[in-house]
Amino acid sequence: QVHLVESGGGLVPAGGSLRLSCAVSGRTSSDYVAGWFRQAPGKEREFVSAITWSSGGASYADSVKGRFAISRDNAKTTLYLQMSSLKPEDTAVYYCAASEGWRRGSNVNDYNYWGKGTLVIVSS
């Protein structure tokens, strides 16, 4: 069982920055990929970014590429999402997810474990 807990959400003005964290615990030795998804009110959950634990290789949705950066700490127990140049369209609940697979998938079904989310509101 893998447990994921997001933190760092909050209210930020457009153009600002925010860093989200995801604490990972449990049996993670076979979890090769972790990522971030987000869900705005009335919308489907959408892919934001994913990272391969071993290499640090990352994938990004077109909507956030160049503005967001995914990373993990040296012990590979915490996942981060550094968000910059935030837009009102980025407002959503952000979810941390982990996969037991090896591909940095962009579909919610590619991931086995989920956190409960942290709310990000970007004001204009």
Side-chain angles (χ1 to χ4, degrees), residues 92-113:
V93 176
Y94 283 71
Y95 297 90
C96 179
S99 173
E100 295 179 347
W102 57 270
R103 299 187 69 175
R104 295 192 294 273
S106 59
N107 191 289
V108 294
N109 295 320
D110 295 326
Y111 297 83
N112 308 102
Y113 308 99

Side-chain angles (χ1 to χ4, degrees), residues 64-108:
V64 306
K65 193 168 186 176
R67 300 189 297 120
F68 291 11
I70 191 170
S71 62
R72 68 320 190 222
D73 68 8
N74 292 331
K76 299 183 179 180
T77 58
T78 303
L79 182 72
Y80 300 100
L81 184 68
Q82 179 66 52
M83 305 183 293
S84 300
S85 301
L86 284 162
K87 306 174 181 179
E89 307 94 271
D90 296 318
T91 295
V93 176
Y94 283 71
Y95 297 90
C96 179
S99 173
E100 295 179 347
W102 57 270
R103 299 187 69 175
R104 295 192 294 273
S106 59
N107 191 289
V108 294

Side-chain angles (χ1 to χ4, degrees), residues 41-63:
K43 305 293 184 180
E44 294 184 353
R45 191 168 300 187
E46 68 172 347
F47 172 76
V48 175
S49 183
I51 188 169
T52 300
W53 285 108
S54 59
S55 69
S59 300
Y60 297 92
D62 289 340
S63 59

